[in-house]
Amino acid sequence: MYFAWPGKLKRLGVVGLNQRNGDYISQLNRRSDYPKVDNKLITKQLAVDAGIAVPELYGVVETNHDAQRLASLLAPYQDFVIKPAHGSGGEGIVVIDGRQGRLFRKASGQLVTLESLEHHVGNILSGMYSLGGQPDHAMIEYRVRFDPLFKDITYQGVPDIRTIVFKGYPVMAMVRLPTRSSDGKANLHQGAVGAGINIATGVTHHGVFNSMKIDHHPDTGHAIGGHAIPQWDVLLRLAAGCFELTGLGYLGVDVVLDADKGPLILELNARPGLAIQIANGTGLAPYLRKIERDGNPKASVEDRVSYVERTLADTPAD
C-alpha cells in the first residue's frame, strides 16, 4: 500500500483534494456549466451537435408510465446498456450483452428477467443512483464492443480511458481495466485496475489495484504495461475538444475504444478523482504549472494536442 509523508508528496507534485477544489475546480469550472456534464443526456446532445462520436442513444424512460413500455423499447436490440442520466461512479449501470429465450444476459453472465430490468429502471427513476438522490431518467444506449487490444488485460466489462483536460490541454491519462472484484466495471473504487498512460505517446506503463502498485492484471496475469493505445491522437483531440464543448477548465473525459466505431466519448466529469496520479506514479502539479505558464488560451484543438505530444512525454520540469 502507498504511504508517503506530506513533504514527499509535495516534492512529487501530488495535487490533494483541497488544492484540486480550491485552486482548479472552483476557479475554472462555473457552476452554471455543471449540468452539461452532470446530466448525461445533455452531454450526449452537445456532443452530437458538435459532431463528436458517442454511443448511440436508443431511448429514454422518463416516468414509471414509460417504464411499462420497456419491453417494446428493448425489442429491436439483442444487447444494450441501461444507465441513470445523473449517475456517477458507475452506479446503476446494467450491461446486457445478449438474450437467452425470454431472459437477458448481463455482462457477468447472470440471466435476468424483464421484470428485473423494469424494477431496476424504477429504481433509477426514483433517484437511487443519481447525484443528490434527485428523481432521474433512465437511458438505453448502444453497448460498446471493446477493442481487442484489451482482451488479455481486462476481465469482462469494457475498459475506458480517463484523461484530465486542463484549460483545454490533455495533461494526464489512465486506462481503467475491469477485474473480477469490480464485477466487470471500470471504476477504481469498485476494484478496477488503473494503468497509467504516457500522455504524449499513448503507451501504458504500470498500474494501481486497491492502492497497490502492480505490473500484471490480477485476474489474467498479463502485463499491463507496454500497450500502445490505437488512434491515440484521435483520442487526444476528442478530449481536448471537450473544453470548447463544456467551457470547463478542469475536466475529466472518459473515452471508450469500440472495436467497430473507434473512440467514443462516454462521460465527462467536472470533479475528476485524483487516483490518476497514483496510476501514473507522478503528481499533476508540474503538468498544470507548465500549462499555466506556457499554454495559449486561444490555441486551437490541433495546436494544443500538438503541444502535448511535443512537450509532455516526460514529467515537465518546473
Side-chain angles (χ1 to χ4, degrees), residues 132-296:
Q134 297 300 310
D136 204 355
H137 296 163
M139 302 167 61
I140 317 294
E141 67 178 23
Y142 169 79
R143 180 181 71 87
V144 173
R145 282 77 166 166
F146 69 78
D147 190 283
L149 165 74
F150 299 115
K151 67 180 177 61
D152 291 332
I153 52 173
T154 192
Y155 179 83
Q156 300 178 339
V158 178
D160 67 16
I161 297 167
R162 159 67 60 85
T163 302
I164 300 296
V165 179
F166 181 64
K167 296 186 175 181
Y169 290 82
V171 293
M172 189 170 282
M174 67 174 170
V175 56
R176 299 184 293 192
L177 304 165
T179 66
R180 184 189 300 271
S181 63
S182 76
D183 194 27
K185 295 181 179 178
N187 294 94
L188 267 58
H189 72 276
Q190 294 178 324
V193 169
I197 301 174
N198 184 305
I199 192 68
T201 66
V203 177
T204 62
H205 44 87
H206 74 266
V208 61
F209 174 61
N210 289 337
S211 299
M212 296 182 294
K213 180 181 177 181
I214 60 170
D215 294 313
H216 297 82
H217 192 280
D219 299 313
T220 70
H222 287 272
I224 58 176
H227 298 275
I229 306 295
Q231 302 187 64
W232 183 245
D233 57 336
V234 174
L235 191 147
L236 287 180
R237 288 198 296 273
L238 278 175
C242 289
F243 173 58
E244 281 82 1
L245 190 73
T246 64
L248 297 173
Y250 187 85
L251 179 67
V253 178
D254 297 342
V255 175
V256 289
L257 290 178
D258 187 88
D260 301 318
K261 302 176 183 297
L264 303 173
I265 294 288
L266 194 62
E267 291 184 14
L268 305 178
N269 194 320
R271 318 163 193 80
L274 296 166
I276 193 170
Q277 299 174 109
I278 303 175
N280 279 276
T282 187
L284 272 165
Y287 294 85
L288 305 184
R289 286 196 289 265
K290 186 174 181 65
I291 297 303
E292 287 183 316
R293 185 179 63 233
D294 302 332
N296 177 1

Side-chain angles (χ1 to χ4, degrees), residues 37-40 83-93 120-139 271:
V37 298
D38 287 345
N39 186 331
K40 296 177 178 60
K83 63 167 61 173
H86 289 82
S88 66
E91 298 292 336
I93 296 177
H120 183 72
V121 167
N123 286 337
I124 291 176
L125 297 178
S126 73
M128 179 177 290
Y129 308 107
S130 68
L131 292 166
Q134 297 300 310
D136 204 355
H137 296 163
M139 302 167 61
R271 318 163 193 80

Side-chain angles (χ1 to χ4, degrees), residues 58 77-81 96-99 141-143 145:
Y58 293 157
Y77 311 109
Q78 288 294 312
D79 57 331
F80 50 84
V81 175
I96 299 296
D97 68 7
R99 296 181 184 236
E141 67 178 23
Y142 169 79
R143 180 181 71 87
R145 282 77 166 166

